[in-house]
Amino acid sequence: MLDEALDLFLGSSCVGCSRPGRMLCARCREGLSAQAFPAWPTPTPAGLVTPWATASYDGAVRELVVGHKDRGQWSHRRVLGGLLASAVRAASTALDPTVPLLLVPAPSRRGAGRQRGYEPTAEMVTAAARVVRTERRVVVADLVVSRGPVVDQTGLGARQRGDNVRGSMHCPSPGLARVCRRWPVAHVLVCDDVVTTGATAREVQRALEAVGLAPVGIAAVAATRRRSHGPVLGPGPLRG
Ligand SMILES: [Zn+2]
């Protein structure tokens, strides 16, 4: 009844199964993976720290990510933040729990976020931090910015993506100095929505390392499934 009423008023339907009603129905939400796995891209950019992802980038998750990033469906940030929180947990399992986590969102292309007045990745990381904060100290810091010019990565291959983003990001010092004052010791995780070739994550990692902050891992909502004989990307949908 509620879903039908919502559909009547909002004209929405589930991004997973197209059922009229909520943008993500209860069944599709339950079907989302809750278990993160190492998601190494093939080929792996040299020096990339371990990337973790909670879902493969298809089906409902793909719709959620695209809707959140490109269609202004900002209410998806909570579900996406929950998936990202699982990846953050997995990436930090072996780390000293008394040391805070410092989550650094991958920056949007210059201008992209400002045009919309909403930074999708940063908002999603903040939602994930809210979940993880119940278990350990965590802070989100926009330490890395994109200085462009970088073209949209869609449609580019692994090498082109690497060439496109290399050297495109940097860590402006005021933000960094502020964080280092507050968090002199922290485990740094790079956070993003999707790991595709790993080029973006590797560039964020490089920009952080250039100012002396070495990330210990990458946490992402999803990873693309490689069609080549790459590593198996982990289990299918799990409940819980
Ligand atoms: Zn559904």
Side-chain angles (χ1 to χ4, degrees), residues 10-21:
L10 303 175
S12 67
S13 58
C14 173
V15 297
C17 65
S18 304
R19 233 176 102 209

Side-chain angles (χ1 to χ4, degrees), residues 13-20 22-29 60:
S13 58
C14 173
V15 297
C17 65
S18 304
R19 233 176 102 209
R22 296 181 181 150
M23 293 213 282
L24 184 67
C25 76
R27 193 169 11 162
C28 287
R29 189 171 182 144

